[in-house]
Amino acid sequence: MLTEDVRRLGDELGLDAVGVTRAEAYTDTERHIRERRARGLFADMRFTMARPEESCHPESLLPGARSVVSAALCYWRPEAPLEPGEGRLPRYTWDDAYAALREKLDAIGRRLGGSYRVLVDANQHVDREAAARSGVGFYGKNTMLITRRHGSWVVLGTLVSDQELEPTAPLDADCGSCTLCIEACPTGALDEPGTLDATRCLSYWTQAPAAIPEDYRAELGAQIYGCDICQDVCPWNRGVEKRRAGYAAGEGHVDLVAWLEGDGRALVASYDRLYVPRNDPRWLRRNAAVALGNVGTAGHVPALERAAAGDDELVAEHARWALERIASRS
């Protein structure tokens, strides 16, 4: 197969963008990861930053690796109105787009022949770098990979192959002078364009195994996990609703009281697409308490009072904060 055959097959499989780059070291990316880690910008996150000597070396991920096929799959779906007492999940969690992308890349690998390895949402490979090199998209000032047709509303995946394919050109596009994402970030996590300070990122704090800083809690609003602010304001993401017309609204809202008081094991199992430290439901309950403080009403006070009187001091402290916040709106 030729590169154009691979891209044609990607279209047939429903992929939104496909590109090819050589299986060679991402030297600059490895250096950037090490520099930013030394500055503490990753907080305690690991993921692809934990072992850049592996994640930035696709040539080492498969014996005889020659080519890297990068693919993007759009996950954007319309959002239903948020009802009282509901919290909001980030769009990428509404469906398991990663599973669909993994299947499509595996289909390409089988057709391509030879040996191959599919990596989707895997710590062993920096998918964004392969996507940028192959023209699937470009790095935005919000650090997201931005595609031409669907902006940053995509999940990324990679196929490393021992077959020789002609590389595709990088995308001739960028953010220009736009700084909307930087201005919209309520905590200043993007003040250095193209670099994320996780210690000031709302998404990070909804996943961190620690108390959410008080200064950041109100900024979360109804968001119970993750954050889409820098994507919502991005001009490259405008118009996606027209290209995705006909899609049903996603299942992106949750019952906050159910998160706060429901069975913890069942809660974590129901949301296995979320990263929950040590699969401990207390971190999700902490988030529910904060969201109730921001969007809850007097009807939610009893649930928060029970949480505030509970044995888990982390959840109790966030519940007390929520009660004070609701009282301040009365």
Side-chain angles (χ1 to χ4, degrees):
M1 294 180 71
L2 302 175
T3 294
E4 283 310 306
D5 298 322
V6 171
R7 299 182 84 170
R8 190 177 304 111
L9 178 57
D11 286 340
E12 294 172 4
L13 291 168
L15 291 170
D16 293 301
V18 176
V20 176
T21 189
R22 292 187 176 87
E24 57 188 21
Y26 307 152
T27 304
D28 288 344
T29 300
E30 182 175 6
R31 175 172 54 81
H32 291 155
I33 288 175
R34 294 185 185 281
E35 290 174 351
R36 293 172 191 183
R37 188 169 62 189
R39 292 171 59 191
L41 297 180
F42 298 141
D44 62 355
M45 293 192 304
R46 296 185 63 79
F47 308 118
T48 58
M49 297 84 74
R51 293 177 54 82
E53 67 275 12
E54 178 182 27
S55 63
C56 295
H57 290 269
E59 77 280 4
S60 69
L61 297 176
L62 179 78
R66 293 184 177 182
S67 303
V68 175
V69 178
S70 178
L73 184 64
C74 182
Y75 60 79
W76 190 94
R77 293 178 68 181
E79 182 173 3
L82 197 67
E83 300 294 333
E86 286 187 338
R88 182 185 184 278
L89 292 166
R91 272 194 166 87
Y92 80 91
T93 67
W94 296 2
D95 294 296
D96 195 354
Y98 284 119
L101 178 56
R102 190 175 291 109
E103 292 177 2
K104 296 175 190 296
L105 280 169
D106 190 61
I108 291 177
R110 292 195 303 270
R111 287 282 297 276
L112 189 56
S115 297
Y116 68 91
R117 183 178 179 184
V118 172
L119 299 109
V120 175
D121 193 27
N123 293 342
Q124 293 84 4
H125 182 254
V126 182
D127 290 329
R128 278 180 294 179
E129 180 61 19
R133 288 183 176 219
S134 64
V136 166
F138 65 91
Y139 284 112
K141 291 178 182 176
N142 61 359
T143 77
M144 306 290 287
L145 195 286
I146 299 176
T147 65
R148 190 178 290 281
R149 279 187 54 80
H150 296 99
S152 58
W153 299 119
V154 295
V155 291
L156 301 171
T158 303
L159 182 153
V160 182
S161 170
D162 64 357
Q163 303 297 294
E164 188 76 47
L165 292 169
E166 184 69 22
T168 50
L171 195 62
D172 184 20
D174 56 38
C175 295
S177 61
C178 179
T179 56
L180 288 178
C181 62
I182 297 169
E183 296 161 13
C185 180
T187 57
L190 296 170
D191 282 356
E192 185 179 336
T195 299
L196 175 71
D197 183 350
T199 67
R200 293 193 285 172
C201 177
L202 293 179
S203 180
Y204 166 76
W205 283 110
T206 65
Q207 303 171 59
I212 298 175
E214 284 197 37
D215 289 346
Y216 294 171
R217 296 178 189 179
E219 302 295 353
L220 281 164
Q223 197 75 20
I224 198 168
Y225 187 91
C227 179
D228 283 337
I229 291 173
C230 65
Q231 298 195 83
D232 287 333
V233 301
C234 179
W236 281 96
N237 288 343
R238 294 172 187 165
V240 68
E241 65 279 359
K242 296 178 181 177
R243 288 186 281 276
R244 302 280 285 180
Y247 281 76
E251 299 293 328
H253 299 163
V254 305
D255 184 322
L256 291 171
V257 172
W259 269 41
L260 189 62
E261 298 193 320
D263 178 80
R265 185 173 298 179
L267 175 63
V268 172
S270 298
Y271 293 95
D272 58 355
R273 291 196 294 274
L274 308 184
Y275 170 73
V276 182
R278 296 180 294 279
N279 289 323
D280 190 336
R282 71 195 301 242
W283 308 116
L284 298 182
R285 289 174 175 151
R286 169 204 62 185
N287 296 353
V290 171
L292 278 171
N294 290 326
V295 302
T297 64
H300 300 111
V301 166
L304 285 167
E305 287 178 335
R306 289 190 291 271
D311 295 333
D312 189 322
E313 179 52 30
L314 175 102
V315 176
E317 187 276 320
H318 287 76
R320 290 193 293 269
W321 175 89
L323 287 167
E324 293 176 1
R325 185 156 171 79
I326 290 177
S328 71
R329 296 197 294 270
S330 300

